[in-house]
Structure formats: structure tokens, C-alpha cells
Amino acid sequence: MEHLVLNAKKRDIGTKGKLADMRRAGNVPGIVYGPKSEPRLLEVKAADLRTLLPKRNHVIEMNLDGETINVMAKQVDRDPIRRDVLHIDFLRVDDIHPVIVSVPVITHGIPIGVRTQGGVFAVAKKSVKLKAKMQDIPENFTIDTSDMESGKSFYVRDLKFDKGVFVTPLRTFLFGVGSGRKEDEAAAAAAAATPAAAAATPAAAAAGDKGKAAAPAAKPAKPKK
């Protein structure tokens, strides 16, 4: 994994006004916590987070007032409109205790079901959650979909990972190739033909009944003398 470094400094519990001043100065309040350690309040530069936050499953080497600790970004609170980071939680990690992280699922290649079978490729989830030690966390899962045929699906259980456990349910659908437009059009045509055929029978029956009603009645036979 890429080696990431972040400088932070301790802070005291502040009022809403002080926290607002901190954010206006370009800093973000936060906290770091973890196993066998007390929670510690801190602040980091907002500019430093811009390059780190897209790499949420990476271990960050944090320099907290001269002390070096390994952390991961755990929770990020943002302004609902401007999307500025308002607060960030860091989880202290080591090479003993497993952590839960989200790992991206990346696909490449054009499926054969799309190239030759008229299928449509669809992605339902772009990441999965798993629990593992920090040194065993994969940077991503990269899947070649070139041989995927129309009608085939890929689930969490199909990912290869034996150094931890998946938190996302194994039956969760990740991506697949749908039947496609050609098959859908054929099915629609067949469905449209069935009601038309069914409707023809009542119409014919009605026409036959009408014809019968229009036929002249038979003359009664003359009585014999």
C-alpha cells in the first residue's frame, strides 16, 4: 500500500464558536481512538485531507505532536451543502487487531455478453466491507470481466480473499451482464402476440353469434290436412 503521512496537533474541548473559528482558519477538528488507548482530541489541516480521504482503506502514519501512530479514517462528517469536512474520526490500528474497512471493487474489460450477445453490463456495488489486520487489507479487488457471458452475475462470495472475513453478506450482487435489448425486444414481441391471439377468439365468437342472430328464422311447417 501507498505510504501516507498526516500531521496533527492536540486540541482542547471547544465551544461551537471556537470550532467555527478553527474551520474558518482552514483546520478540521477530529478525534483518534482505538483499542487499549484513550480517545484524544486533535485538529488537522483541511488541505491535507483532500488527498487522503479518497484512500479510506489505507493506513495513515499520523504525527501527533511528535508521537507517531498508525491510524485509518473511520468517519467523516461533511457540510450537507458545501461538502466541507466538519469533523473526522480516526481509528488507531496495529498489526494485531483486525479492523473493518471498505475496499473498492474495480472491473475492467468488455464482457463477451456485451460484445457479441447484446447484453448490458450493470454494476450494483463498487466496494465491499471486510474485516482483516491492517497488513492484510487489499488495496482493491480488480476483476477482468472479458469472459462474462450474458445472464451471468458476480457476487461477494466470488471474490478471492482468505486473510480475513467479509462483512458485506456473501450473497450480495456486485455486477453482471443483463439479457440485453435484443432478448427484451423478442420477449416483448412474444408477449404482445399472445394477447392479440387470445383477443381474436372472442372477436370471432362474437362475430359468429352476430351472424347467427342476423339469420332469418325458419318457417313453421304447415299442418297436414
Side-chain angles (χ1 to χ4, degrees):
M1 282 191 176
E2 183 181 355
H3 183 67
L4 305 177
V5 179
L6 177 65
N7 293 320
K9 64 179 182 179
K10 299 176 184 178
R11 67 175 177 90
D12 298 324
I13 297 177
T15 62
K16 289 185 178 180
K18 289 183 178 180
L19 294 178
D21 291 339
M22 181 187 303
R23 297 184 182 106
R24 279 192 291 267
N27 297 323
V28 177
I31 187 172
V32 59
Y33 49 83
K36 298 182 179 180
S37 63
E38 292 293 328
R40 301 165 69 177
L41 300 178
L42 55 83
E43 61 179 282
V44 296
K45 292 185 179 298
D48 294 340
L49 293 177
R50 295 192 184 102
T51 57
L52 298 182
L53 290 183
K55 305 167 184 177
R56 293 287 294 274
N57 61 320
H58 283 62
V59 176
I60 302 170
E61 183 181 293
M62 176 182 285
N63 180 3
L64 182 56
D65 285 343
E67 179 186 359
T68 300
I69 55 178
N70 290 323
V71 301
M72 300 182 74
K74 184 66 175 178
Q75 180 176 332
V76 179
D77 297 329
R78 294 181 180 271
D79 183 278
I81 299 176
R82 299 191 304 272
R83 305 304 298 164
D84 296 336
V85 178
L86 301 178
H87 190 277
I88 183 168
D89 289 11
F90 291 100
L91 175 65
R92 189 166 186 165
V93 296
D94 54 36
D95 56 0
I96 299 175
H97 299 87
V99 294
I100 297 176
V101 295
S102 293
V103 179
V105 177
I106 301 173
T107 61
H108 67 89
I110 302 176
I112 189 173
V114 174
R115 297 196 311 269
T116 64
Q117 300 170 352
V120 178
F121 184 69
V123 177
K125 287 184 69 66
K126 295 184 178 181
S127 65
V128 293
K129 285 188 176 182
L130 56 84
K131 185 176 182 179
K133 295 179 180 179
M134 68 174 191
Q135 64 270 24
D136 297 328
I137 298 172
E139 188 166 352
N140 58 63
F141 291 104
T142 301
I143 312 298
D144 185 357
T145 61
S146 302
D147 296 332
M148 179 171 279
E149 298 180 347
S150 179
K152 297 296 183 180
S153 300
F154 195 96
Y155 299 87
V156 173
R157 62 174 175 263
D158 298 319
L159 293 172
K160 296 179 180 180
F161 181 67
D162 57 2
K163 294 184 178 181
V165 295
F166 286 104
V167 177
T168 302
L170 297 180
R171 64 181 180 277
T172 303
F173 171 75
L174 295 177
F175 57 85
V177 180
S179 59
R181 183 178 300 174
K182 293 180 180 179
E183 289 83 351
D184 291 344
E185 289 178 351
T194 302
T201 302
D209 292 342
K210 184 176 180 181
K212 290 179 182 179
K219 294 182 179 181
K222 292 183 179 181
K224 293 181 181 181
K225 293 182 179 181

